[in-house]
Amino acid sequence: DLNEMKRTLESVVEEAQLYGGHFDADAKKKKIAELESSTQAVDFWSDRTRANDVLKKITNLKKMVGSLEKIRNLATNDLEILS
């Protein structure tokens, strides 16, 4: 039943929003911006281990944001189709 599918999908979207931090793409984008800004510091590469850790964090956060946005877009498109 399409109405049941729609209610289930809406419920999943609501639950994801309730979990906040882990699913919060905007917060992750803000953290990416902060980390990218830190890479511009004159002494950024003075500690190569730390610098590499920061770059890995940026990469991982970007992957997470991409996945979260893809899921959000798919859910939104599915809800539009079911409406």
Side-chain angles (χ1 to χ4, degrees):
D1 171 63
L2 288 178
N3 285 328
E4 185 178 333
M5 288 174 58
K6 182 179 176 185
R7 283 191 302 274
T8 300
L9 190 54
E10 287 171 341
S11 175
V12 168
V13 170
E14 281 180 31
E15 273 189 55
Q17 290 172 344
L18 289 176
Y19 286 105
H22 190 69
F23 296 104
D24 189 349
D26 292 334
K28 291 183 183 348
K29 286 179 185 178
K30 182 178 178 183
K31 184 64 177 178
I32 291 167
E34 291 171 7
L35 291 171
E36 286 179 334
S37 178
S38 76
T39 67
Q40 302 302 311
V42 175
D43 63 341
F44 179 73
W45 288 103
S46 64
D47 181 347
R48 288 191 182 271
T49 302
R50 183 185 160 287
N52 284 322
D53 286 344
V54 169
L55 295 176
K56 285 178 187 176
K57 285 180 187 176
I58 291 170
T59 299
N60 289 336
L61 285 168
K62 285 183 175 182
K63 286 179 184 177
M64 290 174 73
V65 167
S67 295
L68 290 171
E69 289 181 340
K70 183 177 180 179
I71 291 168
R72 182 178 16 197
N73 290 339
L74 288 171
T76 301
N77 289 342
D78 287 350
L79 282 171
E80 287 175 4
I81 290 169
L82 293 174
S83 294

